[in-house]
Amino acid sequence: QLQLQESGSGLVKPSQTLSLTCAVSGGSISSGDYSWSWIRQSPGKGLEWIGYIYRSGNTYYNPSLRGRVTVLVDRSKNQFSLRLSSVTAADTAVYYCARAGITMERGVLIEMNAFDIWGQGTMVTVSS
Amino acid sequence: DIQMTQSPSSLSASVGDRVTISCRASQSISDYLHWFQQKPGKAPKLVIYAATSLQSGVPSRFSGSGSGTGFTLTISSLQPEDFATYYCQQSYTAPYTFGQGTKLEIK
């Protein structure tokens, strides 16, 4: 059974870069038609989708994060990662990684399904 | 962005009650609507996908309906383990957005 596990720094200073990794076990990140997303949850903003990457390496990010986000995949380690730069206190949240099935046409995502598998989440606090 | 609005924000009910939670999208999203259950300190868990389909392993007392802009999640007979916060989410178009949540509490 596929499982996801987040890891990374739990405390980040303002203006620095938040870095998290999501390890995939019980299956290959490269098999099947799936997207791999980051989602965060804070008391003030609820659940917020951050961005995804899918098999071809294509990414899409939430415009609300104004170009601060990068999602990368490392197929050799069967994991994907999140980098969020220039963090502020507003980026304090529980960060989740999640999988969703997708439909692709000519290598482009045309349909996104539900987030069916989630990691357990990791708390990140932005503070000096 | 598509705005997702849930009602009510909180709901008190008793074991055995039938409850309904509503979710409205700011524009038509066809059936790209999913429901999640979240308990304190845990990740959201998929309950209903594509508006009406029951996720594997979820009890049949959960059901979903709707299409377009209006959707509902119904629990036919509340069990103690169903008290949690429920979220709707659209995957019609990115950025994918969630409702603000409905907290289901024991009366």
Side-chain angles (χ1 to χ4, degrees):
Chain A
Q1 180 178 347
L2 194 90
Q3 292 184 313
L4 307 179
Q5 174 80 51
E6 303 92 346
S7 63
S9 176
L11 179 63
V12 184
K13 289 181 168 51
S15 80
Q16 293 191 342
T17 297
L18 177 161
S19 295
L20 297 175
T21 296
C22 181
V24 179
S25 59
S28 171
I29 198 170
S30 300
S31 64
D33 289 334
Y34 295 105
S35 65
W36 307 91
S37 283
W38 289 95
I39 298 163
R40 67 183 182 181
Q41 185 173 31
S42 60
K45 293 193 71 174
L47 285 159
E48 181 181 28
W49 176 77
I50 297 169
Y52 66 54
I53 190 165
Y54 58 94
R55 191 152 49 101
S56 58
N58 286 9
T59 55
Y60 189 94
Y61 306 130
N62 193 326
S64 70
L65 293 165
R66 294 187 299 272
R68 298 191 293 131
V69 183
T70 304
V71 177
L72 299 171
V73 65
D74 186 337
R75 302 185 193 287
S76 67
K77 294 183 178 179
N78 212 34
Q79 63 187 32
F80 62 108
S81 61
L82 169 70
R83 289 173 57 86
L84 181 65
S85 63
S86 304
V87 297
T88 69
D91 295 309
T92 294
V94 176
Y95 285 75
Y96 297 98
C97 54
R99 183 192 84 165
I102 61 173
T103 301
M104 296 201 295
E105 190 171 282
R106 288 188 282 254
V108 177
L109 187 154
I110 59 169
E111 186 176 73
M112 180 82 158
N113 299 323
F115 299 114
D116 60 345
I117 298 177
W118 295 61
Q120 86 285 357
T122 188
M123 179 69 203
V124 177
T125 301
V126 178
S127 175
S128 55
Chain B
D1 298 4
I2 297 176
Q3 306 303 314
M4 307 301 295
T5 304
Q6 289 181 233
S7 61
S9 296
S10 63
L11 176 59
S12 293
S14 301
V15 172
D17 284 353
R18 177 185 179 90
V19 299
T20 297
I21 298 170
S22 296
C23 177
R24 182 158 298 277
S26 61
Q27 67 181 74
S28 178
I29 58 171
S30 184
D31 65 351
Y32 290 88
L33 188 283
H34 320 294
W35 290 98
F36 297 88
Q37 176 193 70
Q38 187 177 34
K39 295 181 179 178
K42 300 293 188 182
K45 171 190 169 185
L46 181 63
V47 174
I48 297 287
Y49 64 94
T52 61
S53 297
L54 191 67
Q55 175 68 353
S56 176
V58 174
S60 59
R61 60 182 179 271
F62 288 87
S63 64
S65 64
S67 183
T69 61
F71 304 86
T72 58
L73 172 69
T74 299
I75 309 172
S76 60
S77 178
L78 273 174
Q79 298 302 301
E81 60 269 29
D82 300 336
F83 292 94
T85 300
Y86 291 85
Y87 295 93
C88 61
Q89 177 249 328
Q90 64 83 18
S91 67
Y92 181 77
T93 188
Y96 309 112
T97 47
F98 294 81
Q100 82 280 12
T102 295
K103 188 173 184 179
L104 180 53
E105 299 173 302
I106 301 174
K107 184 183 289 184

